[in-house]
Amino acid sequence: MDTVLGELWGGCRVSAAVAETLARAQALAARQGRAHVTTGHVLDALLCVAEDPASHAGVALRARGRQPGELGRERLWGTDGPVVVRSRAAEPPPPDAAVHEVLRGLGSWTAVTGDRRATTLHLLAALSRSTAAEGVFLREAGLSSDAVLAAGARCRGDVRGADAAFAVGPRSEGDGTVLSVPAAPQPGDLATRTTGRRSASVSRLMSGQLPESGRMNTRLGVVRVRSWVLGHTAHGLITLLTVLLLVDEGMEKGDWVFLACVPLVSLQLSLVPWAFWVAARTVGLWLTPAPLSWLVFGASLIEVLVVRDELWMKRVDLGRPELPLRYFRLSYWRELRSMVEARLVGDDES
């Protein structure tokens, strides 16, 4: 049975397992005489609830090779000093600022997985992204937010009950969009305002690469979109600088240096098989003289990070956590072939 938390606790709709986790955390803080519920209390309570086989967080942890009980003992061993016991308050302790921030952002995590209420998996992912000590502990244990969601997506078929994330159902759309591709204008309409039709073609090709729904319109979605924009910009600038330096180097040492520009510019990771891309970039690194090879390596690394963000956003956009990387390649070339066929037969309206 779902529960709607009060505004003090974030105001989000949560599963019964999450409500039990917060109740345990509050009880633990009260027994210790603490004035507030901390992220440490929430994590301890969550690991206890995760022992239940019906808990999605517990299933995800075990899928990552971590037992909730063992993880809890590791955290206690790493605690610096004993807990200071304060005088017991008459009222149950409220959440502190860090816990309130974690709970207030649960809505962003449910938008990522397409759920209408937060589960223990969302709570674990939100804690792992926290700047508190518990978030650092989870990340050092190999349980980053992306790792938690990836494990939860792979084992979602093993979770039964109301605490299952990635619930099958219609996608919920946001009230607006953070990043979207505008609808392609009709070629006839373009002909009245411009001499070419490139904008319509680019819009059609990019629709398969970038998110189009409002599901990225969350705090977490904005963070990932900003990361993608910065990475995409950095990749373009570094690639341009590398090509210019290679051209300058080629004019002095020989035409063979120009061959290093081919895999750097023409081959994109999202549009060719990854094995072919890795092989081409390896050849490009071999052809590139030092120290320019470091720029080629840096551009390749940034491109991997950019494509990772693109895949993350498209998985959220389509509500398909298992979406493979080859989706971009197949979608792009399918759309390009359709456009070419339409132009050859003279059907510009398709």
Side-chain angles (χ1 to χ4, degrees), residues 96-97 248:
D96 65 4
D248 181 68

Side-chain angles (χ1 to χ4, degrees), residues 1-210:
M1 183 177 180
D2 295 347
T3 303
V4 178
L5 301 176
E7 288 299 324
L8 184 63
W9 295 86
C12 182
R13 180 180 293 275
V14 299
S15 66
V18 174
E20 180 186 352
T21 298
L22 299 179
R24 284 175 177 260
Q26 192 175 47
L28 179 60
R31 285 198 301 270
Q32 294 178 353
R34 304 297 295 271
H36 294 88
V37 178
T38 66
T39 52
H41 297 127
V42 175
L43 180 57
D44 288 341
L46 178 59
L47 293 177
C48 290
V49 173
E51 296 284 357
D52 186 349
S55 165
H56 204 148
V59 174
L61 286 174
R62 285 184 282 272
R64 293 283 301 178
R66 308 304 299 262
Q67 294 296 327
E70 295 178 359
L71 195 63
R73 287 190 290 272
E74 289 179 17
R75 199 187 79 80
L76 291 178
W77 293 337
T79 301
D80 295 329
V83 177
V84 178
V85 179
R86 302 178 182 177
S87 58
R88 298 181 182 274
E91 296 294 331
D96 65 4
V99 173
H100 180 74
E101 185 68 16
V102 168
L103 297 178
R104 190 169 68 91
L106 283 180
S108 295
W109 296 99
T110 57
V112 166
T113 61
D115 294 296
R116 292 184 173 84
R117 43 84 181 112
T119 67
T120 55
L121 184 73
H122 301 108
L123 182 57
L124 181 61
L127 281 173
S128 68
R129 199 176 181 88
S130 171
T131 56
E134 287 67 31
V136 176
F137 165 76
L138 289 173
R139 291 191 292 273
E140 290 178 348
L143 296 170
S144 64
S145 58
D146 284 347
V148 168
L149 291 181
R154 286 195 299 268
C155 63
R156 58 178 174 169
D158 300 329
V159 184
R160 298 290 185 270
D163 195 51
F166 296 99
V168 178
R171 289 192 296 146
S172 58
E173 301 291 344
D175 295 332
T177 57
V178 175
L179 178 67
S180 64
V181 179
Q186 295 295 327
D189 183 44
L190 282 175
T192 63
R193 291 177 290 154
T194 181
T195 58
R197 298 176 178 179
R198 182 177 302 173
S199 57
S201 303
V202 171
S203 180
R204 287 184 60 179
L205 293 175
M206 291 301 294
S207 63
Q209 310 296 311
L210 299 177

Side-chain angles (χ1 to χ4, degrees), residues 252-318:
E252 295 181 0
K253 295 188 176 181
D255 296 339
W256 60 270
V257 179
F258 292 122
L259 295 176
C261 299
V262 176
L264 188 64
V265 176
S266 60
L267 299 180
Q268 300 182 35
L269 177 57
S270 59
L271 302 183
V272 296
W274 67 268
F276 182 75
W277 181 86
V278 170
R281 286 303 169 95
T282 302
V283 173
L285 282 171
W286 178 69
L287 292 175
T288 304
L292 295 184
S293 56
W294 287 106
L295 284 177
V296 175
F297 178 79
S300 302
L301 179 60
I302 293 177
E303 184 175 358
V304 171
L305 298 178
V306 169
V307 173
R308 182 200 64 172
D309 285 341
E310 286 183 2
L311 184 60
W312 189 93
M313 292 189 297
K314 202 61 182 179
R315 283 173 171 174
V316 173
D317 179 53
L318 299 179

